[in-house]
Amino acid sequence: MNVLELFKLEGKVAIITGGGQGLGKQIATALAEAGCNIVLCSRKIETCADTAYRLMNYDVKAKAYKCDITKEEEIQSLIDNVIKEFGKIDILVNNSGTNWAAPVEEMPLVGWEKVIKVNLTGTFLTAKIIGKKMIEQGFGKIINISSCAGLRVDPPEILDAVGYSTSKAAVVHLTKDLAMKWGKHGINVNALAPGYFPTKMTMAFLEEKGEMVMERSPLKRIGDDNSLKGAAIFLASDASDFVTGQVLAVDGGFSL
């Protein structure tokens, strides 16, 4: 097979949670550009619907659904609708996430529980339920979104969000565990660990600490609209068929 053929996604179907904005939107755009049909879902459907409409410019099928990834019944309903509409699920990108910044000694329990529920439990539930469908199919690619914050510990002047960093570190282990369990079913499970990108979640942070982040990074910059695309295509495509249980940091070297 020609090497470029390995990266094509024509006829594939991908579900991207939280894909209406931020890094999820960047990944969704990359997959659509490679020919993949796209399903976007979020607790609030408006941004997903707008992004899905724009992705159809790439001559792919794209649709948005409302889904709270912390509720099993909503994930199951999503899968039922996607199978009815698209016929299969080739790729799952577990991108939905949230944050709550506070010093450890001041972190409220409600903040900790919110972050763990979305970032870890939501990722687990979505992988569990969609993974069951992939087991029935005998194939699938799962890409969990961790973070450079889950690979290293930063001083509080850079990042003071213990729930976020802990949840993203747990996603790394979840990824490896699922890869070990599901490899025999033809399912590859890997993770991306993005660094700092300008998104709605990080904009205020970068305005305050962006210079510090760039100084700490070997490449001396933050991510842009194209920085995550290549890594996402690699893990979603046939190019990564012999790769599983791995974490690819796309962070300019920040996690070193």
Side-chain angles (χ1 to χ4, degrees), residues 154-173:
D154 289 307
E157 56 267 23
I158 293 181
L159 183 66
D160 212 359
V162 65
Y164 181 81
S165 56
T166 300
S167 70
K168 292 301 186 178
V171 167
V172 169
H173 191 86

Side-chain angles (χ1 to χ4, degrees), residues 40-84:
L40 305 176
C41 65
S42 182
R43 190 168 52 87
K44 297 180 180 179
I45 196 173
E46 292 78 13
T47 56
C48 287
D50 180 67
T51 298
Y53 177 77
R54 295 173 186 274
L55 292 179
M56 288 190 287
N57 290 328
Y58 296 105
D59 292 325
V60 299
K61 190 174 182 178
K63 192 164 183 177
Y65 294 90
K66 184 179 182 298
C67 180
D68 184 339
I69 64 166
T70 67
K71 297 179 179 178
E72 291 187 80
E73 65 275 13
E74 292 197 19
I75 301 171
Q76 187 60 57
S77 177
L78 169 69
I79 295 171
D80 294 342
N81 286 325
V82 172
I83 294 298
K84 182 178 179 180

Side-chain angles (χ1 to χ4, degrees), residues 9-241:
L9 295 174
E10 280 93 345
K12 304 283 188 178
V13 178
I15 295 177
I16 304 167
T17 67
Q21 60 186 351
L23 299 186
K25 182 178 180 179
Q26 188 176 133
I27 293 171
T29 302
L31 269 58
E33 288 174 347
C36 191
N37 298 309
I38 304 294
V39 174
L40 305 176
C41 65
S42 182
R43 190 168 52 87
K44 297 180 180 179
I45 196 173
E46 292 78 13
T47 56
C48 287
D50 180 67
T51 298
Y53 177 77
R54 295 173 186 274
L55 292 179
M56 288 190 287
N57 290 328
Y58 296 105
D59 292 325
V60 299
K61 190 174 182 178
K63 192 164 183 177
Y65 294 90
K66 184 179 182 298
C67 180
D68 184 339
I69 64 166
T70 67
K71 297 179 179 178
E72 291 187 80
E73 65 275 13
E74 292 197 19
I75 301 171
Q76 187 60 57
S77 177
L78 169 69
I79 295 171
D80 294 342
N81 286 325
V82 172
I83 294 298
K84 182 178 179 180
E85 182 79 19
F86 293 82
K88 60 176 179 174
I89 303 169
D90 297 285
I91 302 155
L92 166 65
V93 181
N94 269 317
N95 169 75
S96 287
T98 191
N99 189 20
W100 191 302
V104 179
E105 64 274 17
E106 297 176 12
M107 171 67 78
L109 180 59
V110 65
W112 171 271
E113 290 180 337
K114 175 186 176 181
V115 173
I116 296 299
K117 185 176 184 180
V118 175
N119 294 3
L120 181 56
T121 304
T123 295
F124 162 71
L125 288 176
T126 308
K128 168 194 168 184
I129 297 171
I130 295 180
K132 186 175 181 180
K133 175 58 64 175
M134 289 180 171
I135 289 172
E136 293 174 5
Q137 297 175 159
F139 62 86
K141 295 286 182 81
I142 296 176
I143 304 171
N144 294 325
I145 304 302
S146 179
S147 168
C148 65
L151 303 180
R152 54 167 286 138
V153 177
D154 289 307
E157 56 267 23
I158 293 181
L159 183 66
D160 212 359
V162 65
Y164 181 81
S165 56
T166 300
S167 70
K168 292 301 186 178
V171 167
V172 169
H173 191 86
L174 174 65
T175 298
K176 294 176 180 293
D177 200 287
L178 295 179
M180 177 64 75
K181 303 296 196 301
W182 289 348
K184 63 185 178 181
H185 299 295
I187 301 171
N188 299 65
V189 188
N190 293 290
L192 289 171
Y196 289 97
F197 286 73
T199 66
K200 182 179 178 181
M201 184 185 294
T202 63
M203 197 59 69
F205 171 87
L206 289 175
E207 286 179 1
E208 179 183 355
K209 301 181 179 181
E211 290 297 326
M212 189 183 304
V213 168
M214 287 188 283
E215 180 60 31
R216 175 68 182 78
S217 170
L219 294 185
K220 306 302 179 187
R221 64 183 181 89
I222 59 174
D224 60 28
D225 289 344
N226 294 309
S227 297
L228 203 58
K229 285 184 172 182
I233 291 295
F234 170 63
L235 292 181
S237 69
D238 293 346
S240 62
D241 278 356

